[in-house]
Amino acid sequence: MVAKEATSVPLMTPHKMGQLDLSHRVVLAPLTRCRSYGNVPQPAHAALYYSQRATKGGLLISEATGVSATAQGYPDTPGIWTKQQVEAWKPIVDAVHRKGALFICQLWHVGRVSTNDFQPDGQAPISSTDKQITPDAESGGTVYSKPRRLGTHELPLIVDDFRRAARNAMEAGFDGVEIHGAHGYLLEQFMKDSSNDRTDAYGGSLENRCRFVVEVIDAVVKEIGAQRVGIRLSPFVDYMDCVDSDPEALGAYMVEQLNRHEGFLYCHMVEPRMAILDGRRQIPHGLLPFRKAFNGTFIAAGGYDREEGNKVVANGYTDLVAYGRIFLANPDLPKRFELGAGLNKYDRSTFYTQDPVAGYTDYPFFDDDHVASAAPPA
Ligand SMILES: Cc1cc2nc3c(=O)[nH]c(=O)nc-3n(C[C@H](O)[C@H](O)[C@H](O)COP(=O)(O)O)c2cc1C
């Protein structure tokens, strides 16, 4: 019975992503874990964490990784701008490759989602704007500092940070990079009209607001090749005071920009917040226009489980599905999906703690002996 189930699992079918052959469609979503002490990834535990989640022909996206000293806003997140960081990533990437998986580095700049304490010499965080994020429940009590609006002449320097970080990711052995253009961080601060009040060529019209991220994309593509560059976008997500008045137009414009690059690796988009329909939490499935418009591999993320993932792969809504919280808590998620096995519950209290084991590498694997008694997939 279990074997029959395994042959009819759309998520477990192969997919060709550009030149890369994937054996299944269950992607590890980028997950910040705050265990890279002093912004240096720690091979001793990160190699184990990522290799636990690696499968032959699987795709992993790294936690958000800073492109420069001003890119940080959370404790102990990794970077990829120094030689030491690049060297520290190498054994982690090797461990993933030894399991036969592909590993993409998510390149990140937090912009104003930071405080002076995280910034070099205690300076103000940088952004599209000098408007501070309104303190609210989402920030978990953190009051983000008032940012400094970047001058037009400074923008090429930040573009260059992304370009150099992409080169460093290649040096570290990653298979590609994902530009983090989602969730209210620097690139989105420029893109969305609630957080971009500029009057130069990088503010105002949609084209102007997207100019900075387009320059980052172009520079990274030029540096390492379109076949190694993906992007994550979240036009519908209103995180960190980053809201756009026309998310459909924003997403459509960005997809057009990606399509200019023949062979662009993937477009990874985050679903709108869960909607409650008929009393049930449901994924709004708002990404279809973008999936249809984009020429390459599409990845959807946000609230998916096995059943929903299988559905959207089977009906062509997406090519791949990225899983965050349940992959965090189930290192062998693809195998559990294949077998229709039950899942470990995630423990939110250890998402962002610094312990090298607890809530990080100690989630149990599924025991093959229990296959027969596994609960049917929800
Ligand atoms: C602990 C944690 C850390 C996250 N870190 C990142 C990150 O570094 N970069 C990113 O783009 N999204 C990040 N996210 C968002 C996830 O990638 C994903 O989009 C989100 O959890 C929704 O998917 P899910 O319902 O499968 O968990 C994080 C989410 C969680 C729970």
Side-chain angles (χ1 to χ4, degrees):
M1 222 181 126
V2 165
K4 186 162 170 254
E5 179 80 37
T7 58
S8 59
V9 182
L11 281 167
M12 299 315 294
T13 56
H15 173 74
K16 198 161 174 64
M17 182 172 73
Q19 313 288 313
L20 307 173
D21 285 311
L22 303 180
S23 66
H24 63 80
R25 295 158 188 261
V26 181
V27 177
L28 175 68
L31 292 167
T32 290
R33 304 307 315 276
C34 298
R35 284 146 167 102
S36 296
Y37 312 134
N39 304 133
V40 179
Q42 302 290 306
H45 52 259
L48 177 60
Y49 167 77
Y50 281 110
S51 67
Q52 284 178 336
R53 285 155 185 78
T55 47
K56 192 163 171 25
L59 176 64
L60 309 187
I61 304 170
S62 80
E63 61 210 278
T65 298
V67 298
S68 69
T70 61
Q72 310 299 318
Y74 298 83
D76 296 319
T77 52
I80 193 151
W81 73 90
T82 71
K83 180 87 184 134
Q84 186 194 10
Q85 290 162 341
V86 173
E87 291 306 313
W89 272 116
K90 285 182 180 174
I92 303 169
V93 178
D94 278 350
V96 168
H97 283 161
R98 274 199 300 277
K99 296 286 272 305
L102 297 163
F103 201 8
I104 301 289
C105 184
Q106 190 187 49
L107 301 183
W108 188 38
H109 196 302
V110 296
R112 66 176 180 168
V113 186
S114 188
T115 65
N116 292 42
D117 295 340
F118 283 105
Q119 296 299 314
D121 305 323
Q123 291 178 15
I126 55 177
S127 181
S128 53
T129 178
D130 57 8
K131 276 194 291 185
Q132 196 173 0
I133 298 172
T134 322
D136 68 6
E138 241 175 20
S139 61
T142 305
V143 177
Y144 297 103
S145 301
K146 186 172 166 54
R148 178 176 73 78
R149 186 196 311 270
L150 281 162
T152 313
H153 65 284
E154 295 177 281
L155 300 182
L157 304 173
I158 315 288
V159 171
D160 209 49
D161 287 337
F162 274 91
R163 182 195 62 73
R164 201 171 320 105
R167 169 56 51 205
N168 287 346
M170 294 299 99
E171 159 78 20
F174 282 102
D175 299 284
V177 300
E178 175 176 289
I179 296 168
H180 194 342
H183 296 161
Y185 297 112
L186 182 67
L187 300 180
E188 226 192 37
Q189 289 157 28
F190 275 82
M191 278 185 265
K192 290 190 170 173
D193 55 11
S194 77
S195 47
N196 184 329
D197 53 1
R198 303 178 71 89
T199 53
D200 62 3
Y202 295 84
S205 67
L206 176 59
E207 187 185 345
N208 279 1
R209 283 183 278 115
C210 292
R211 189 181 307 285
F212 180 51
V213 65
V214 168
E215 288 180 0
V216 168
I217 295 165
D218 291 354
V220 171
V221 162
K222 189 160 176 230
E223 183 72 23
I224 65 172
Q227 76 284 5
R228 293 198 183 83
V229 186
I231 192 164
R232 191 173 221 212
L233 297 167
S234 58
F236 294 109
V237 178
D238 297 345
Y239 193 53
M240 296 293 175
D241 260 4
C242 252
V243 188
D244 198 79
S245 55
D246 192 350
E248 285 86 5
L250 172 59
Y253 180 79
M254 284 308 301
V255 168
E256 262 176 49
Q257 299 306 306
L258 305 182
N259 282 340
R260 289 189 298 117
H261 295 291
E262 169 107 28
F264 196 81
L265 187 59
Y266 64 74
C267 177
H268 181 181
M269 284 208 186
V270 185
E271 293 280 357
R273 284 269 162 100
M274 292 284 193
I276 308 287
L277 293 174
D278 300 329
R280 282 193 59 210
R281 280 170 79 243
Q282 301 208 353
I283 300 170
H285 297 308
L287 308 178
L288 191 60
F290 312 130
R291 189 279 191 281
K292 281 187 173 160
F294 181 58
N295 292 338
T297 290
F298 196 85
I299 310 179
Y304 281 94
D305 59 10
R306 179 182 188 268
E307 187 189 347
E308 282 289 331
N310 278 329
K311 216 190 294 177
V312 291
V313 168
N315 69 17
Y317 175 83
T318 191
D319 297 303
L320 310 175
V321 182
Y323 290 89
R325 291 161 296 177
I326 61 174
F327 213 153
L328 183 157
N330 293 273
D332 50 357
L333 188 69
K335 180 176 173 192
R336 289 175 190 250
F337 279 176
E338 184 169 357
L339 299 174
L343 299 181
N344 303 322
K345 286 197 165 43
Y346 54 81
D347 175 5
R348 197 180 288 279
S349 73
T350 52
F351 278 175
Y352 304 109
T353 45
Q354 276 72 52
D355 194 281
V357 177
Y360 190 55
T361 55
D362 63 351
Y363 280 105
F365 283 74
F366 188 70
D367 178 347
D368 288 8
D369 295 344
H370 293 148
V371 169
S373 59

